Amino acid sequence: MKAITVEPRKPGTARLADVSEPNEHEGSVLVEAVAVGVCGTDIEIVDGKYGWAPPGKTHLVLGHESLGRVIDPGRSGSLQKGDLVVGIVRRPDPVPCPNCAVGEWDMCRNGQYTERGIKEIHGFMSERWRIEPEYVIKIDPGLGILGVLLEPTTVIAKALEQVVIIGRRSFWEPRTVLVTGAGPIGLLAALGARSVGLDVHVLDRMESGPKPDLVRALGATYHSGSVRELGFEPDAIVECTGVGQVIADSIQAVGSSGIVCLTGVGHGGVVTAAACADIAASAVLKNNAIVGSVNANKRHWYKAGQLLARADRRWLSGLITRTEKPVNFMQALERRPDDIKVVIQFAEI
Ligand SMILES: [Zn+2]
């Protein structure tokens, strides 16, 4: 069968290759790939900056934002042939650490977790894949291709849960939320915050294209300036850019007893000790909480499924701006100005 493979840490090695059928030890559920979303992590892996092949192997099958159709449910009692499913990405570390031991592998303490398509387990960009029944999420069949948005939605389900949990440290009645970055994660954050009735503001550098329209269609407000020009102090900020200046501005701009949740992963830049002290002083004097959030556990996968199932399907379909065939996977990995979520489609839905 065909699969998109890469030799991790070697740029220029990604290709559509012939590989053997998935081995039964990878899981008793056999799935036909329908679509796989592409994100920044995939681009980093293909650029040779990230990723690990399975132990003893040189190649990694790419892809962690899956959508597939069950061919053979194996020993799973709850799945049937034809069900639309998505695969959970992370697996607990083998030790396991206390968090992995209780199923909170998203909070793994020792970093020895593994991840499909990223770290030591093959991903989902192959014509067929296998998975353990306990790591399969069955989606609302009415979502169709939109089920490929489940994995990025889990990131937001966790981030918003973190904000709510931290908010309980004091009396807190949040009304306004700022989301920085109108990529897939930022737009899904706006969807999640709107779904609980908050006044949502989304900031992105794009001044036109699909992003402002998608934000307004949610009943949220779009901003294309800087965080400093907002004109109000958000109760919470979900930071989805990973850009140093946006992060620093967000920490200064959040209101008293507010929360900044960081979900973007950026690189580089030098922060002087003085600037760091200024940022810390701002957080101290306003009782602010700054929290990082990555990945998701099964509870967040469930919540994300609920959020997607209830969302407006036409709005969700606006997030998938480009669909490419597996043979054109390199085009799928390009970033174009109007791209939000690009998807590689393996089979008709
Ligand atoms: Zn762990």
Side-chain angles (χ1 to χ4, degrees):
M1 65 172 182
K2 296 282 186 202
I4 297 164
T5 66
V6 61
E7 285 183 63
R9 314 288 172 142
K10 286 189 189 170
T13 56
R15 62 195 178 100
L16 184 66
D18 286 303
V19 300
S20 49
E21 289 289 328
N23 193 300
E24 218 151 325
H25 80 257
E26 292 170 38
S28 57
V29 183
L30 179 64
V31 179
E32 172 195 26
V34 172
V36 186
V38 171
C39 84
T41 303
D42 299 309
I43 295 170
E44 289 218 318
I45 295 171
V46 168
D47 286 348
K49 295 176 184 156
Y50 201 68
W52 295 260
K57 300 272 197 309
T58 53
H59 292 79
L60 173 74
V61 175
L62 202 60
H64 58 278
E65 298 184 5
S66 63
L67 173 67
R69 191 161 34 222
V70 173
I71 298 172
D72 179 1
R75 62 182 165 85
S76 162
S78 58
L79 290 171
Q80 291 189 329
K81 187 173 189 280
D83 281 345
L84 284 181
V85 293
V86 176
I88 291 179
V89 178
R90 191 175 283 194
R91 298 293 178 272
D93 77 77
V95 176
C97 75
N99 291 66
C100 284
V102 300
E104 291 194 354
W105 52 69
D106 57 313
M107 304 295 272
C108 181
R109 300 285 302 278
N110 64 24
Q112 294 178 44
Y113 60 82
T114 52
E115 288 177 329
R116 292 201 68 156
I118 301 170
K119 191 167 184 270
E120 299 171 17
I121 327 177
H122 285 318
F124 302 106
M125 287 187 186
S126 53
E127 288 179 291
R128 282 166 294 284
W129 40 269
R130 281 188 172 272
I131 189 161
E132 317 89 318
E134 60 272 32
Y135 290 102
V136 177
I137 303 289
K138 192 168 140 180
I139 61 152
D140 182 329
L143 280 169
I145 191 88
L146 301 172
V148 79
L149 297 170
L150 184 61
E151 196 279 339
T153 309
T154 66
V155 172
I156 279 313
K158 174 180 173 181
L160 295 178
E161 189 189 80
Q162 292 285 306
V163 172
V164 169
I165 292 167
I166 294 163
R168 288 195 198 119
R169 71 201 167 123
S170 65
F171 181 78
W172 195 52
E173 219 174 32
R175 291 197 176 89
T176 54
V177 174
L178 171 68
V179 177
T180 52
I185 297 288
L187 289 165
L188 290 165
L191 171 74
R194 278 299 295 147
S195 76
V196 291
L198 292 165
D199 178 14
V200 176
H201 296 255
V202 180
L203 183 140
D204 191 279
R205 55 190 172 175
M206 296 298 287
E207 288 177 359
S208 59
K211 291 176 177 178
D213 291 341
L214 282 161
V215 169
R216 289 182 197 117
L218 283 175
T221 309
Y222 190 84
H223 302 262
S224 57
S226 78
V227 175
R228 278 163 294 168
E229 296 161 341
L230 273 182
F232 72 100
E233 293 186 341
D235 297 321
I237 299 181
V238 183
E239 206 298 303
C240 308
T241 69
V243 176
Q245 190 64 54
V246 179
I247 297 166
D249 288 349
S250 294
I251 294 169
Q252 305 270 3
V254 73
S256 289
S257 74
I259 300 164
V260 179
C261 183
L262 307 173
T263 70
V265 181
H267 298 282
V270 176
V271 179
T272 64
C276 215
D278 285 347
I279 290 167
S282 166
V284 170
L285 296 172
K286 293 195 291 178
N287 282 300
N288 293 149
I290 300 154
V291 60
S293 180
V294 71
N295 198 255
N297 65 42
K298 213 161 186 177
R299 184 171 71 249
H300 309 122
W301 282 83
Y302 176 81
K303 286 184 172 182
Q306 301 284 99
L307 178 61
L308 276 193
R310 283 196 297 262
D312 182 86
R313 304 271 151 95
R314 215 173 42 158
W315 186 85
L316 287 177
S317 63
L319 300 186
I320 300 177
T321 45
R322 199 149 58 86
T323 303
E324 300 281 4
K325 293 183 173 136
V327 69
N328 297 327
F329 74 93
M330 283 309 287
Q331 273 110 294
L333 292 162
E334 289 168 8
R335 287 181 201 261
R336 299 182 189 168
D338 278 350
D339 280 342
I340 297 175
K341 177 56 69 187
V342 179
V343 161
I344 300 175
Q345 191 159 0
F346 281 80
E348 288 303 312
I349 188 81

